Amino acid sequence: MGAKRAMKRGVSLKDHIERCPPPLDEVRSAPVSSLSWQEYIEADKKPVLGRQMKKKSWSKQVQARMWVSDEFPITTQDLVDILSVFEAAHPHIKSLKHFIAHKMPHGFPVKLSVPLVPTVSAHITFNSYTKVTSKLAPALFQVPKHYQEQTDTVCKQLLEQEHSSSTMC
């Protein structure tokens, strides 16, 4: 807002000057350093050559909500292990895993709502859980006999052949 418009809206000129920053040509230039390039390179702690940086930081307290139960059939460590599998897929899962592993009270979170960033929250609800009590057949975890182990070079060749044979639309 210009000074004339500010005056028309009832803002005093003094208030307008205090609120609006000065134009760039009025800003003081950075101090000139007498440090040579060689002195700068050889310094253990690099000196500041221009203006001192103004560092600002802010923090905002966030509120997580959770319902915990000591009687749930699995442990929080089991949940952390599950989240470890998914943390490579999305960076926010890593912060959720850290929260569950290090900052959570005693008990298993049957319902959890945690803000990951100011605009994104994670909501987890365990509606029902059935523990598998029977042993799974070991055959489920065996590699079929007709599968062959491939070396890295063979895998790369197969990928290159697949990539070269694909057509682009």
Side-chain angles (χ1 to χ4, degrees):
M1 170 176 10
K4 288 183 181 179
R5 282 183 26 195
M7 299 291 275
K8 285 181 183 177
R9 293 187 180 195
V11 177
S12 71
L13 185 60
K14 182 180 176 186
D15 289 341
H16 174 70
I17 291 172
E18 287 176 1
R19 289 184 192 159
C20 298
L24 289 178
D25 53 84
E26 293 180 19
V27 176
R28 285 182 278 129
S29 61
V32 178
S33 176
S34 60
L35 197 63
S36 72
W37 177 248
Q38 195 62 34
E39 292 170 330
Y40 179 79
I41 291 175
E42 293 173 355
D44 290 333
K45 185 179 177 187
K46 301 300 179 204
V48 177
L49 297 178
R51 289 186 194 93
Q52 290 292 330
M53 289 178 48
K54 293 181 183 178
K55 297 179 183 177
K56 294 181 182 180
S57 65
W58 62 275
S59 63
K60 183 177 180 181
Q61 200 158 6
V62 294
Q63 186 176 22
R65 295 178 185 205
M66 80 175 74
W67 295 255
V68 293
S69 170
D70 289 328
E71 299 171 7
F72 204 74
I74 60 175
T75 65
T76 54
Q77 185 56 45
D78 295 333
L79 181 59
V80 168
D81 293 341
I82 292 168
L83 291 174
S84 295
V85 173
F86 293 109
E87 77 179 318
H90 203 283
H92 296 311
I93 293 177
K94 185 176 183 178
S95 59
L96 177 63
K97 182 183 104 174
H98 181 269
F99 174 80
I100 291 172
H102 301 290
K103 298 182 181 182
M104 205 172 76
H106 182 69
F108 186 83
V110 290
K111 188 173 182 181
L112 178 67
S113 176
V114 180
L116 302 174
V117 293
T119 58
V120 177
S121 292
H123 302 283
I124 299 174
T125 304
F126 291 90
N127 292 330
S128 62
Y129 175 80
T130 306
K131 188 173 186 177
V132 177
T133 55
S134 63
K135 292 191 175 189
L136 297 174
L140 292 173
F141 302 101
Q142 292 178 353
V143 177
K145 292 181 180 179
H146 65 277
Y147 280 30
Q148 294 178 358
E149 183 177 349
Q150 302 292 325
T151 62
D152 285 343
T153 53
V154 173
C155 291
K156 286 179 186 176
Q157 289 172 353
L158 289 172
L159 286 173
E160 287 173 3
Q161 288 174 359
E162 188 177 292
H163 182 66
S164 63
S165 65
S166 65
T167 58
M168 300 182 97
C169 298

